[in-house]
Amino acid sequence: MNRTLKLSSELLIMLAWREIAIRYKQSVMGFFWAILMPCLIVAAGLLVRGGMAHLSGTQLQKDSVAAIMVKSLPWAFIISSLRLSTNSLTANSNLVTRANCPRIVFPLSSVLSALFDFGIAAIALIIVLAVLSTPVTVHLLWVGPLMLLLVLLVSGMGIALATANLFFRDVKYIVEVLLTFSIFFTPVLYEADMLGKWRTWVLLNPFAPPLEGLYSAVVRGRMPDLVWIAYSAVVSLVVAGCAWLLFRRLEPSFADCI
């Protein structure tokens, strides 16, 4: 048992590092690619929020800029993780067909490599938040648990999508379409409170409560809404558990279908 766990953890780290090395090999911009996607999301958010402020005859507030930045980084992590993990099994077909290979490490290594990019971009975010004079409060301790919640949810969805994509290659195209439009149904460019009576419907998206929680803890210096965080935690555990059971049940057929 211990030997299997050790082998799986070593393979997980090796695969994640290989993905990172391939991504940045011979790249002119290098690690700046990790910041590019969050920057594009922030630019889109500033355009939307700036337009809304202009229509209402007000100015774009400093907190609004910070809110978009704080939520754009984890959103870029979510998008990258789901995109990479969906293709992780089919992209490693030569290893997946080996009998003693712990196959579940492939989608998990994709999440880990995306988390590496998040870590790089987070350094830039901390500098920007310091420039914006964002308050440092005890509620910043919520950042770790909220990110762990997002990692759990993304890992579960990544495992399920990678399994489905191995049997039905249409899945990766469906995922791309859903990821393109999902930002409109997730409070990244806006706050859930801005939607009034529609707030509840947006927060039913399990990604929404942790993102809103990060906004509350980092930008507003307040405790996240624990009821919605608990809801997201339950959904994340259910998704991760169901994904693991699905993976284990279908794993014996992987070599025949890949």
Side-chain angles (χ1 to χ4, degrees):
M1 181 68 177
N2 290 336
R3 187 175 178 278
T4 303
L5 287 174
K6 183 181 178 183
L7 175 65
S8 299
S9 60
E10 289 176 350
L11 184 59
L12 174 64
I13 295 172
M14 186 190 73
L15 289 170
W17 184 249
R18 187 190 68 171
E19 283 193 29
I20 294 167
I22 291 173
R23 193 179 307 154
Y24 295 112
K25 186 179 181 182
Q26 296 180 333
S27 169
V28 176
M29 292 179 60
F31 290 125
F32 282 103
W33 282 112
I35 306 174
L36 179 62
M37 182 182 284
C39 285
L40 292 174
I41 299 172
V42 169
L46 292 178
L47 186 65
V48 171
R49 297 292 287 272
M52 293 170 64
H54 177 73
L55 290 174
S56 61
T58 59
Q59 291 185 338
L60 186 61
Q61 299 297 315
K62 187 175 65 175
D63 283 357
S64 299
V65 177
I68 295 170
M69 290 182 172
V70 166
K71 292 193 280 187
S72 293
L73 255 68
W75 181 248
F77 160 71
I78 293 166
I79 296 294
S80 180
S81 297
L82 293 179
R83 182 174 287 141
L84 292 172
S85 57
T86 299
N87 295 303
S88 60
L89 290 175
T90 52
N92 292 282
S93 57
N94 57 329
L95 295 175
V96 170
T97 52
R98 295 187 181 182
N100 297 324
C101 180
R103 301 173 183 87
I104 203 163
V105 299
F106 294 109
L108 293 180
S109 66
S110 297
V111 175
L112 191 59
S113 68
L115 198 58
F116 177 83
D117 288 350
F118 172 83
I120 294 174
I123 296 172
L125 175 65
I126 291 170
I127 296 172
V128 174
L129 291 178
V131 172
L132 293 174
S133 302
T134 304
V136 178
T137 69
V138 69
H139 296 295
L140 287 175
L141 295 174
W142 277 100
V143 172
L146 292 171
M147 281 305 302
L148 284 176
L149 191 57
L150 285 176
V151 170
L152 176 65
L153 180 55
V154 162
S155 298
M157 293 185 71
I159 292 170
L161 291 171
T163 305
N165 187 57
L166 189 143
F167 292 95
F168 306 101
R169 303 302 164 86
D170 296 342
V171 170
K172 61 184 176 185
Y173 302 114
I174 296 172
V175 169
E176 285 294 329
V177 173
L178 292 176
L179 290 180
T180 300
F181 293 102
S182 56
I183 196 169
F184 299 110
F185 307 103
T186 311
V188 179
L189 307 181
Y190 55 87
E191 276 71 72
D193 289 340
M194 296 170 66
L195 300 180
K197 65 179 181 181
W198 297 101
R199 175 180 182 272
T200 301
W201 291 101
V202 170
L203 290 176
L204 287 174
N205 176 351
F207 288 115
L211 292 175
E212 286 292 293
L214 287 169
Y215 162 65
S216 295
V218 177
V219 180
R220 304 179 71 187
R222 297 179 182 177
M223 182 179 288
D225 189 329
L226 296 183
V227 174
W228 281 109
I229 294 299
Y231 159 77
S232 183
V234 170
V235 172
S236 300
L237 287 171
V238 171
V239 169
C242 291
W244 187 82
L245 291 174
L246 177 71
F247 189 91
R248 287 300 180 204
R249 183 178 179 82
L250 297 177
E251 189 177 11
S253 305
F254 282 4
D256 298 328
C257 297
I258 199 165

